[in-house]
């Protein structure tokens, strides 16, 4: 799938939407994908991660409710209205222009 930020295609995205794919997330990967969308999901952790990640907390309609850099072993707090979480290598959101208030979309690649 392709991820778009405010109608601009920015990256390929993997969707983790089963219990197993969400549980695995980015753990034990030698190479990180451009982006990973976890749904349903309201918070994430950096346990076992070696590098920081950009994290966007999303509403059901893919509006960005908040962003943060998640350091290894840190945790995001659950937040009202968050139903999905987007993870990407640190620095990705700045390159993509993704910030609170951005609208995301998924399209077939």
């Amino acid at each position: 799938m392709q991820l778009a930020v405010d109608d601009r295609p920015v990256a390929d995205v993997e969707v983790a939407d089963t219990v197993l794919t969400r549980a695995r997330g980015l753990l034990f990967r030698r190479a990180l994908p451009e982006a990973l969308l976890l749904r349903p999901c309201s918070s994430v952790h950096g346990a076992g991660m070696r590098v920081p990640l950009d994290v966007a907390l999303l509403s059901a309609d893919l509006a960005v409710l908040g962003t943060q850099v998640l350091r290894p072993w840190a945790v995001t707090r659950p937040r009202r209205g968050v139903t999905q979480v987007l993870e990407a290598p640190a620095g990705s959101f700045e390159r993509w222009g993704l910030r609170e208030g951005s609208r995301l979309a998924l399209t077939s690649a």
Side-chain angles (χ1 to χ4, degrees):
M1 299 207 84
Q2 185 73 30
L3 174 70
V5 175
D6 297 326
D7 297 320
R8 291 181 334 278
V10 295
D12 289 330
V13 62
E14 291 182 24
V15 177
D17 56 3
T18 68
V19 171
L20 289 176
T21 57
R22 286 192 318 271
R24 178 168 185 231
L26 296 176
L27 291 175
F28 311 116
R29 296 190 189 210
R30 292 194 182 275
L32 297 178
E34 289 182 86
L36 177 69
L37 179 65
L38 299 129
R39 62 181 178 191
C41 183
S42 60
S43 67
V44 293
H45 63 81
M49 296 301 298
R50 292 182 237 176
V51 297
L53 299 171
D54 284 346
V55 172
L57 306 173
L58 310 173
S59 65
D61 64 353
L62 296 175
V64 178
L65 302 176
T67 65
Q68 71 182 75
V69 174
L70 183 70
R71 305 279 177 222
W73 297 98
V75 177
T76 63
R77 293 181 186 204
R79 183 171 163 181
R80 177 174 282 149
V82 173
T83 63
Q84 306 172 71
V85 176
L86 180 70
E87 298 178 334
S92 298
F93 291 0
E94 185 176 342
R95 282 193 318 278
W96 302 343
L98 187 151
R99 60 189 172 282
E100 189 170 335
S102 293
R103 293 282 178 175
L104 307 185
L106 301 175
T107 59
S108 298

